[in-house]
Structure formats: C-alpha cells, structure tokens
Amino acid sequence: LFGATVAATLPLLRLRRLLREWRPDLVHAHLPPAELYARLALLGSGPHPPLVISKHNDEPFYYWPALEGLGRWVARRARRMIVISNAVRAYMRDRLGISDALMRTVHYGIDPRPYDAVDPQASERLRAAWGAEPGDLVIGTVARLVPQKALHVLLTAFARFATKIQVDVDAA
C-alpha cells in the first residue's frame, strides 16, 4: 500500500513543481486521472492559472459514487469544460450536475476534401482485395473495441440493412 501511495504521489509533486516553475497561463487536462492530478496540483498554490478540461465521451471512469464525486469536484472547479457533442454535454449536466454555463461544445470536424482526391483505381484495387464487386455497397467503421462504442448496435444495423437490401433485390 505504501509503495502504491508513493507511486501515485510522485507525479502530483512533480506536476506541482513544474507549474510553479513554468507559471503557465492555462492548464488543460483530458481524462479523469489527469484532471484530478491537475486540480490537486493547483490546490494551495495561491493565484493559479485557470483549469480547462475536455470531455470526449461519457465517463466509464466513474464506477463508484466516490469516483463520481471526485469527477464532480474537479469539473466544478474548472474554469471551463470543453465537450465534443450535445450527448456529452447532457451526460455532464445530468449525471455530474455540471452547469451549462461552464461548458462549451466544440464538435469534432473532419475535412472531407482529402477523400475527394482518392484515386478511383486504388479504390477499385482495395475493393477487389476485399472481394467486393464493382456494384457492391461496402460499409465499415473505425473504433476502439469497448462497450461504450456500442459496436453491437452497428452490427445489428448492418445486418438489418443487408436484409433490407436483399429483400429489395429479391422484390425487383
């Protein structure tokens, strides 16, 4: 237990020292462990830079009420919370009681222009490597394999879509 306490405390002490030395204008943290370390490092250091935290999803980190309480404590002491969607905003408001006034939504943005320049022959070679015929619809996803991503819902939707396409083809 002593070793684990020391191991958890050393990064906090190092962060406090760095904040005193660097004197940043702003501290940003992402993910609950980093948010907690940042908030604790700012405690008792007199005037300190504002803390901004960013939330990219609902928190699987809050397994127990005590952890949820820590998350709430940290979030309410941040100057701002950046959320990436209305769903994350609603989660933070409804689950952690975070004020809408504290949060700012900054949606992810993907510039589609690079995909306009994809070489059609390269695309056809890839489709052929996957065994897809020229008229076949190819659908995919890129995601972490965690329950939060609900890939089972996506697979169910793919199956329903495939069934619907087959029914439409059979009816034609």
Side-chain angles (χ1 to χ4, degrees), residues 9-115:
T9 305
L10 290 176
L12 175 61
L13 296 174
R14 190 172 303 131
L15 182 56
R16 284 180 64 91
R17 180 179 51 79
L18 288 172
L19 289 171
R20 276 194 314 271
E21 289 174 8
W22 292 349
R23 299 178 50 186
D25 294 323
L26 177 91
V27 174
H28 173 259
H30 170 60
L31 294 176
E35 295 162 10
L36 180 59
Y37 271 102
R39 185 63 194 111
L40 290 173
L42 292 169
L43 280 177
S45 58
H48 56 77
L51 173 62
V52 174
I53 59 179
S54 59
K55 299 290 191 178
H56 291 226
N57 50 45
D58 55 355
E59 299 299 337
F61 305 99
Y62 300 139
Y63 299 113
W64 304 301
L67 292 178
E68 190 171 298
L70 275 175
R72 186 177 299 112
W73 178 80
V74 170
R76 289 181 178 171
R77 281 153 184 81
R79 179 75 56 88
R80 286 283 181 264
M81 177 187 289
I82 299 168
V83 295
I84 59 97
S85 70
N86 294 335
V88 173
R89 175 186 282 268
Y91 177 87
M92 293 300 150
R93 181 186 57 240
D94 300 343
R95 178 81 184 261
L96 293 185
I98 306 304
S99 162
D100 277 318
L102 178 74
M103 296 184 276
R104 298 294 182 268
T105 304
V106 179
H107 295 279
Y108 279 149
I110 297 176
D111 182 359
R113 289 177 292 190
Y115 302 102

